[in-house]
């Protein structure tokens, strides 16, 4: 059976990580991997997480399985973080949430759930989107198509074209929207644009699927949830995929959540029962440790306050990196306008150069980014920004 197999190409980002590790140059710069790095280039464990881990170690009494839905308290707290504790959909018990193995696991649960709801559904993703979005939905047997989103020539949102396409969709369509910190472009919808998208969703009847992997990394926890909460105010059905990897720094703990909103509490309970059936046939039970850490932090006022402070440090550093890179490129005498980088939000931006220039950055200067010129802003530091800006100037 295995003799019929052909080797698959390496994942572009994972392959890039391997190339970076093998590069012997000491001045190399990693702008590929999507993780937060501190000013020294390290990937830290948050202090609030360290405290939660100590509490977890001292109080955990068993390693028995948890339920397929995960911890009820984690599900409640993560749902309130996303939708708001006083949101009317939360108060009316129209939302059910389950914990999942990371944001990727959440997306796969959502994909399998959609397949159960309507096997002929089409999932619409932004052009461009996180590459794994397409793979996940196709692996679940769903059709995938794209709607216009980013203008690579002008480094701006193609909002009119996006809205026009959404107005052609209907009840058999699912529209994946990045809640904040769009990956890979960093170009987000404004509140006014969200309002228009929500109105179209309500009018056309397609199912919104919001992917929120970076809540708190854009403008703040509340601001970044604007689209999620506005959508939940308007529609009878939606899905939310959430991740704790970035904002809690729990990358390897693989903890996320998948929430379904239905027209009433009974419909939500039915939807959750189907979702649990999907989970049982997939990974059966979610991991417990990461969820317990998040639950411990969100259930403690002191730890929540500390988390907010640490999250602000990460957010401010990334936003500061954006402004710093734009300034240093300009200082190299580059006339091309890169100011859009400072305007964008979250961990990623397109630099807007050709694949050939990206390849030259890597071969000649040891600067690693995805071929599309998507770069991880968190990889920029005071120590490497001048070298990076000079390398960019040389390949333009």
């Amino acid at each position: 059976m295995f003799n019929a197999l052909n080797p698959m190409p390496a994942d572009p980002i994972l392959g890039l990580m391997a190339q970076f590790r093998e590069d012997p140059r000491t001045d190399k710069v990693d702008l590929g991997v999507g993780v937060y790095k501190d000013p020294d280039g390290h990937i830290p464990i948050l202090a609030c997480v360290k405290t939660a881990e100590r509490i977890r170690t001292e109080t955990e009494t068993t390693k028995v399985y948890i339920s397929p839905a995960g911890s009820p308290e984690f599900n409640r707290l993560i749902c309130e973080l996303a939708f708001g504790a006083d949101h009317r959909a939360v108060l009316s018990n129209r939302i059910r949430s389950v914990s999942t193995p990371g944001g990727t696991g959440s997306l796969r649960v959502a994909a399998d759930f959609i397949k159960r709801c309507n096997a002929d559904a089409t999932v619409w993703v932004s052009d461009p989107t996180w590459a794994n979005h397409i793979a996940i939905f196709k692996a679940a047997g769903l059709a995938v198509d794209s709607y216009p989103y980013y203008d690579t020539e002008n480094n701006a949102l193609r909002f009119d074209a996006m809205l026009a396409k959404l107005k052609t969709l209907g009840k058999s369509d699912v529209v994946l929207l990045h809640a904040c910190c769009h990956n890979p472009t960093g170009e987000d919808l404004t509140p006014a644009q969200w309002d228009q998208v929500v109105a179209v969703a309500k009018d056309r009847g397609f199912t919104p699927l919001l992917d929120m992997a970076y809540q708190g990394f854009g403008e703040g926890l509340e601001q970044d949830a604007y689209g999620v909460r506005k959508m939940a105010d308007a529609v009878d059905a939606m899905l939310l995929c959430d991740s704790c990897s970035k904002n809690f720094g729990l990358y390897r703990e693989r903890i996320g959540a998948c929430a379904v909103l239905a027209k009433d509490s009974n419909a939500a309970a039915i939807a959750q029962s189907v979702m649990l059936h999907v989970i049982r046939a997939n990974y059966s039970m979610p991991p417990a440790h990461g969820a317990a850490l998040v639950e411990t932090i969100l259930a403690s006022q002191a730890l929540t306050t500390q988390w907010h402070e640490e999250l602000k440090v990460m957010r401010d550093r990334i936003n500061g990196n954006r402004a710093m890179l734009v300034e240093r490129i300009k200082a190299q005498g580059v006339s091309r306008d890169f100011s859009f980088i400072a305007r964008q939000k979250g961990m990623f931006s397109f630099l807007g150069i050709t694949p050939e220039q990206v390849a030259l950055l890597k071969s000649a200067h040891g600067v690693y980014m995805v071929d599309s010129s998507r770069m991880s802003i968190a990889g920029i530091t005071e120590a490497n920004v001048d070298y990076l800006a000079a390398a960019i100037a040389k390949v333009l």
Side-chain angles (χ1 to χ4, degrees):
M1 182 180 291
F2 299 158
N3 291 341
L5 295 176
N6 293 311
M8 299 297 291
D11 179 271
I13 297 174
L14 299 181
L16 197 68
M17 290 169 60
Q19 292 175 35
F20 179 81
R21 284 194 300 269
E22 295 166 4
D23 191 328
R25 286 173 285 191
T26 58
D27 54 359
K28 59 186 178 180
V29 180
D30 181 11
L31 302 180
V33 62
V35 296
Y36 174 79
K37 295 180 180 180
D38 66 18
D40 296 320
H42 298 137
I43 305 166
I45 300 175
L46 300 187
C48 62
V49 169
K50 282 286 192 182
T51 301
E53 285 185 317
R54 286 195 294 271
I55 295 170
R56 170 75 167 162
T57 300
E58 292 167 0
T59 59
E60 187 180 28
T61 59
T62 181
K63 294 293 186 182
V64 73
Y65 296 117
I66 58 175
S67 74
S71 163
E73 185 67 1
F74 167 82
N75 291 332
R76 180 185 70 82
L77 291 167
I78 205 71
C79 190
E80 290 179 356
L81 183 67
F83 291 94
D86 58 352
H87 194 287
R88 60 181 181 179
V90 172
L91 297 177
S92 59
N93 203 28
R94 293 174 52 211
I95 302 172
R96 297 291 188 280
S97 182
V98 298
S99 64
T100 60
T104 304
S106 174
L107 286 161
R108 183 55 194 256
V109 167
D112 288 341
F113 176 74
I114 292 164
K115 184 72 173 178
R116 295 283 187 95
C117 294
N118 181 356
D120 297 323
T122 298
V123 179
W124 294 81
V125 301
S126 63
D127 178 21
T129 192
W130 180 46
N132 213 23
H133 277 149
I134 297 169
I136 289 167
F137 290 107
K138 284 188 174 181
L142 293 165
V144 181
D145 211 328
S146 63
Y147 57 85
Y149 190 81
Y150 191 70
D151 181 351
T152 55
E153 293 294 321
N154 298 301
N155 303 299
L157 189 68
R158 297 179 61 195
F159 184 67
D160 290 344
M162 172 187 176
L163 209 61
K165 184 62 186 180
L166 296 185
K167 288 179 179 178
T168 69
L169 305 184
K171 294 182 179 180
S172 291
D173 294 302
V174 176
V175 177
L176 188 148
L177 298 158
H178 297 233
C180 61
C181 304
H182 185 273
N183 180 1
T185 69
E187 195 72 36
D188 284 353
L189 298 173
T190 66
Q193 289 168 336
W194 269 115
D195 292 348
Q196 294 181 68
V197 170
V198 168
V200 172
K202 184 176 181 179
D203 178 62
R204 298 298 302 171
F206 60 73
T207 302
L209 166 55
L210 276 70
D211 186 3
M212 188 158 64
Y214 304 96
Q215 185 182 6
F217 266 81
E219 296 183 26
L221 288 166
E222 299 299 309
Q223 299 94 317
D224 292 351
Y226 180 88
V228 171
R229 296 171 184 182
K230 194 75 175 183
M231 191 70 76
D233 266 332
V235 299
D236 287 336
M238 67 175 277
L239 289 161
L240 173 69
C241 293
D242 209 338
S243 172
C244 303
S245 294
K246 274 70 175 183
N247 53 10
F248 286 90
L250 292 171
Y251 306 97
R252 66 173 57 172
E253 303 301 348
R254 310 310 301 135
I255 178 61
C258 186
V260 57
L261 177 145
K263 62 181 180 180
D264 55 42
S265 181
N266 184 58
I270 293 171
Q272 186 188 35
S273 73
V274 175
M275 191 172 284
L276 293 176
H277 200 261
V278 163
I279 289 170
R280 181 62 171 151
N282 190 337
Y283 52 84
S284 191
M285 317 285 181
H289 186 69
L293 301 183
V294 173
E295 179 181 322
T296 299
I297 293 167
L298 294 181
S300 162
Q301 184 174 347
L303 288 179
T304 296
T305 298
Q306 185 178 31
W307 174 57
H308 288 175
E309 293 168 352
E310 292 185 274
L311 184 57
K312 183 179 186 301
V313 169
M314 293 191 288
R315 178 174 64 248
D316 289 349
R317 172 171 144 65
I318 288 176
N319 289 336
N321 282 354
R322 291 180 172 281
M324 181 170 65
L325 180 60
V326 172
E327 176 192 326
R328 302 299 174 88
I329 293 175
K330 189 175 181 180
Q332 290 289 328
V334 174
S335 58
R336 183 169 166 181
D337 182 14
F338 285 94
S339 61
F340 62 91
I341 295 173
R343 180 192 72 233
Q344 293 168 343
K345 301 295 180 185
M347 202 170 283
F348 304 110
S349 280
F350 276 159
L351 186 56
I353 60 176
T354 67
E356 293 75 20
Q357 289 169 321
V358 171
L360 186 57
L361 275 176
K362 181 171 65 174
S363 62
H365 304 285
V367 175
Y368 286 75
M369 63 181 68
V370 181
D371 288 346
S372 61
S373 84
R374 189 215 76 172
M375 56 180 178
S376 176
I377 302 297
I380 301 168
T381 67
E382 283 279 5
N384 67 26
V385 66
D386 287 322
Y387 176 80
L388 172 61
I392 291 170
K394 288 174 183 176
V395 304
L396 290 178

